[in-house]
Amino acid sequence: MADDDSTTLKRAKKSKHKKKRQRDNDEDRKAKKKHKKEKKKLKKESIDDGDDTSVTAKKAKKAAKKAKKEKKRKQKELDEKIVSSSAIEFYPDGLKTLQLAKNQEDEKQKAAAAVAEAKAAAAAEEKGQSAANSANNITLLLFYQYVEPCWDDDKFQVALKFVTDQGNKYGLTGRMRVAKEGLNCTLTGSHDGIRNWCAALRTFDGGRSKIDQVTGETITEFAKTEFKLTDDLPPKQRFPKLHAFEVVEIVNYGLAGNRAPEIAKYGGTHLEPEDYNNKMCEKDTVIIDVRNHYEANIGRFNPPEGGAKMIDPMMRKSTEFPIWLDKPETKEMLRGKQVLMYCTGGVRCERASALLKQKIETEDDTKSLGIKGVYQLQGGIDKYFKQFPEGGLWKGKNYVFDKRFSHAPPKVEAVDRTKKVLGDDEVAKVEQVVDGIPASAADEILGACEGCSKPWDMYRGKRRCPTCGVPSLICRECFDKDKFGVKKLGRDVRCDLCITEDVRNKQQLREREEREMKEYENNIKQKLGEKYEPYMQRKHAITRKPKANPERITRLFLKNMCAKQMDEEKLLEFLHPAKVTHIQWLTDRNTGAFYGSAFIEVKTAEDAGSVLAANGMTVLGRRMTVKYQKPDEKSIWPVPGTEVGVE
């Protein structure tokens, strides 16, 4: 009985405490609710009384938060413009270790052999970079950027100085094609050096920066440039020096000045690699390989059956593209199709796609073709390989204009490298690393040796086709036989394009090119009317920075000019703005025929420096040589009767 009472009492106390806690909770909720209402009421009263200070502060806070978020988004967008990958990313661990060790050894040998390398290593050490880090992170940079409108003379010189100075500052090497229309660069350097140079270029405005109306931020001309980086390359693939070339076009299409289609207005639609890959599988589509034929000869896209059709324009140089695009048979191949274009890094597609789209909009015969769209591969083959390391729809190797010469997609390259270094037994291990890329993928060779016709896809040595001058595809065995005199490579060993077109000598090819160029120029002249300028334009002078002339020499020697086409009018036009006063054409003593050389006199020493800057430039298809030539004291100079403008 006592136990029951005790239990009842405990229950009663527990119930009492429970009700009290519930009451307290209810009171707390009511108090909070009341406080919230009062706060809301005070805020409303504050607004009604005209006191909008709190609202303004809140709006400012919200705007600052939005601006910060937008800034982060823009930074992320810029970071995405740096597309990087490692050359040894897909190597098995054993091969990576060997490659990195070899890189270190190569770097040590190179540093010991070259004073410049020793200085660069010392500079890197001062910045806190270890020798091992310096050896293992040679980075390759590919990028281009057109600027519209083009820079004027002053801004061009500012841009040229900036990229060169920054390149030297960060120890970069390689080639910069610098024109008034933009930059096209292939550079090598350290991991940090390359990235610091890219960051510096993003800040360059050249006096033409714009202000974003939303964020108030400064937008420079290179703010959205896409930089394509390949890390972990061996030291031997570093360029020896930094060269900044002053050129008329960053890709030589012969489309400078008023011939150049505006890229912002007419440029093709850029497709990221994945979207481009999907487009290649669509019907009623053609793919134009905008590269030279010798590049396509060792590697190209291979769309699936029922998908796009490949078109190789069979070009030896880019200046042939506008002529090829104007041909009736080319236009028929494009009729009713959507057109895709691709090249190594994307730069050649910019003008090519713009030219086609300009024709679609301005020329009736091209407009009537019913072309369904013009697209180009963003970032070119280089970016496609980063997105599809196993190769995607690519077959063969990608020809490049750097120390790699050519390379397969990264995963295929890993298989090939492993077979060569570690042997076939290790390939199975690599296949696990590279998602089952078959060993046979590394054995797919599209090209053939021009000497013996065996499968071959490596351009090596300095030999060129004897009839057209493009790089020769010669296997190691044939190369060695020629080198040691066992079996010489004669003039009958030509590139496959010359064999296909039955081109047997330089004259035959030159006559065909001249005929096609003449037809094309006549068409251009009709379209442009009074705005027409010949192909060899005065715009050559835009990028000619006068060379030093300490001895104030005004006489120069010119050689290797085109004997058939060069005349006074063309030479004066090419050398403009230099004032040429006398030209002595050198002729054969027996026949009296001009053989491509001449002495000239210019008005001032500064004019002579301007002419010397043209040394090495291509004029009428020939690379002209120019040098200062003091007159002989015993000779009469200028020679009477050589005055310019006198018949």
Side-chain angles (χ1 to χ4, degrees), residues 78-306:
L78 289 179
D79 291 342
E80 288 172 352
K81 293 293 181 183
I82 293 184
V83 185
S84 64
S85 66
S86 170
I88 61 173
E89 180 180 355
F90 300 102
Y91 283 17
D93 292 340
L95 185 58
K96 276 184 183 177
T97 303
L98 286 174
Q99 186 64 57
L100 292 176
K102 187 176 186 303
N103 288 357
Q104 286 183 324
E105 186 60 31
D106 288 348
E107 185 70 11
K108 287 176 183 177
Q109 292 177 2
K110 199 171 182 180
V115 176
E117 285 295 320
K119 288 180 180 179
E125 207 169 302
E126 285 177 11
K127 294 176 183 177
Q129 296 177 348
S130 67
N133 184 48
S134 175
N136 295 333
N137 70 345
I138 300 303
T139 295
L140 171 73
L141 165 65
L142 303 176
F143 90 95
Y144 69 89
Q145 181 68 57
Y146 279 95
V147 295
E148 291 180 335
C150 292
W151 291 317
D152 59 23
D153 290 345
D154 292 337
K155 288 185 176 65
F156 168 78
Q157 292 299 333
V158 170
L160 176 63
K161 185 177 187 304
F162 181 86
V163 296
T164 305
D165 289 350
Q166 292 295 315
N168 290 326
K169 177 181 177 180
Y170 293 113
L172 306 193
T173 55
R175 296 186 295 263
M176 300 177 178
R177 289 179 63 87
V178 188
K180 297 182 76 174
E181 63 180 17
L183 302 175
N184 182 14
C185 303
T186 302
L187 302 170
T188 53
S190 69
H191 176 279
D192 294 338
I194 287 286
R195 285 165 170 80
N196 288 336
W197 188 87
C198 293
L201 186 61
R202 289 209 191 281
T203 66
F204 176 74
D205 61 18
R208 303 203 312 184
S209 59
K210 300 175 184 177
I211 303 297
D212 190 307
Q213 298 300 319
V214 179
T215 64
E217 294 179 350
T218 302
I219 303 174
T220 63
E221 297 204 84
F222 297 94
K224 295 186 178 181
T225 300
E226 183 174 84
F227 299 109
K228 297 179 287 295
L229 278 59
T230 302
D231 296 316
D232 301 314
L233 291 170
K236 66 181 181 180
Q237 292 185 5
R238 179 195 290 149
F239 287 103
K241 295 180 181 179
L242 179 65
H243 293 285
F245 298 99
E246 303 173 43
V247 295
V248 179
E249 299 176 82
I250 60 176
V251 176
N252 186 22
Y253 274 121
L255 295 174
N258 60 8
R259 295 187 179 203
E262 292 180 49
I263 291 172
K265 183 177 181 180
Y266 297 114
T269 303
H270 291 66
L271 296 179
E272 290 297 326
E274 191 171 344
D275 297 325
Y276 193 90
N277 196 71
N278 294 334
K279 275 282 183 192
M280 288 194 288
C281 300
E282 297 179 7
K283 62 179 183 178
D284 294 328
T285 302
V286 293
I287 306 173
I288 301 176
D289 190 334
V290 190
R291 303 173 302 157
N292 299 315
H293 174 70
Y294 65 84
E295 300 172 65
N297 191 28
I298 63 171
R300 51 194 175 270
F301 281 114
N302 184 31
E305 190 175 345

